[in-house]
Amino acid sequence: MQDYLIVIPARYESSRLPGKPLIDLMGKSMILRTYEKCIEVMPKENVIVATDDVRIYNHCLSHSIAVLMTSDSCLTGTDRVAEVARVIKAEYYINVQGDEPLFNSNDILKVLESIKNNNGKIINGYCSIKSSEEFFSTSIPKVVFRPDGRLLYMSRSPIPGNKNGDFVKANRQVCVYAFPQEALENFSGQKIKTALEKEEDIEIIRFLEMGYEVFMIELSDDSIAVDNPSDVEKVLNRLRNEN
């Protein structure tokens, strides 16, 4: 059994941006860029893509990326990770979202370090929000948590709010998660999305509704989550500036 496995869930039929994992970003697909970020700090044998689409599957094979076909009935990316967990055994599973092609690879190391100090806990990342545009965007999950890091709630709405309805200070989710095997299995045992998870369209909320604690750790703010076509342009602008 491995100590950990990084799983990159990749679904073709995105409601807001179909074919998202295979979008070309200056000569490389989004899923390839995400994978390359992972293997900057991790051995290739500890990284795998999980998909339900033969186009993504074949694309991964053509780039020598380990990939596993999963069912097309997975409710979320985390459910897809759980399918991988039934095939490949590990103590911990780290879910790196396939639509985070610019995330800071050192964030994975921070998550691994947090696992050492918080063994058996569910871990998720956050970073500060820098603009009112991000704060009011429904594409970006905002997080509020206790002083000790335990997640209170996550929402696409602007939280925490205030009487004036202004942006003052807030944090957003960074889509890197770590799950112990048992919690992941229990999560996927739910055959429908829980009520608030469905309403917000944020899968981590399912753990809260099931009674789990989720511990938030601060990660970098380098990532740009690609949720719609305008996000693709933001990624391309960053890549152009880097080259």
Side-chain angles (χ1 to χ4, degrees), residues 176-192:
V176 180
Y177 320 98
F179 314 112
Q181 194 276 333
E182 183 179 357
L184 188 58
E185 187 62 29
N186 290 339
F187 177 96
S188 66
Q190 300 285 324
K191 300 308 177 188
I192 60 172

Side-chain angles (χ1 to χ4, degrees), residues 93-109:
Y93 297 86
I94 300 171
N95 178 345
V96 175
Q97 295 292 80
D99 58 3
E100 296 266 2
L102 298 180
F103 82 96
N104 189 322
S105 56
N106 287 321
D107 284 345
I108 292 176
L109 300 180

Side-chain angles (χ1 to χ4, degrees), residues 193-200 209:
K193 291 185 177 182
T194 50
L196 292 172
E197 173 197 10
K198 182 178 180 181
E199 186 72 20
E200 295 276 10
E209 291 185 272

Side-chain angles (χ1 to χ4, degrees), residues 14-79:
S14 167
S15 58
R16 288 179 286 270
L17 193 58
K20 182 164 59 173
L22 298 182
I23 288 175
D24 185 271
L25 300 172
M26 293 185 65
K28 293 182 180 180
S29 68
M30 186 176 304
I31 192 69
L32 177 57
R33 286 191 177 276
T34 304
Y35 173 80
E36 287 181 342
K37 283 288 186 180
C38 292
I39 63 172
E40 283 179 2
V41 294
M42 291 295 113
K44 289 183 178 181
E45 55 267 28
N46 288 86
V47 185
I48 190 169
V49 171
T51 187
D52 61 352
D53 190 275
V54 68
R55 288 163 289 192
I56 297 172
Y57 183 86
N58 288 335
H59 179 74
C60 289
L61 291 181
S62 71
H63 289 86
S64 302
I65 298 172
V67 59
L68 185 69
M69 281 292 287
T70 54
S71 73
D72 59 5
S73 60
C74 292
L75 297 174
T76 68
T78 302
D79 293 287

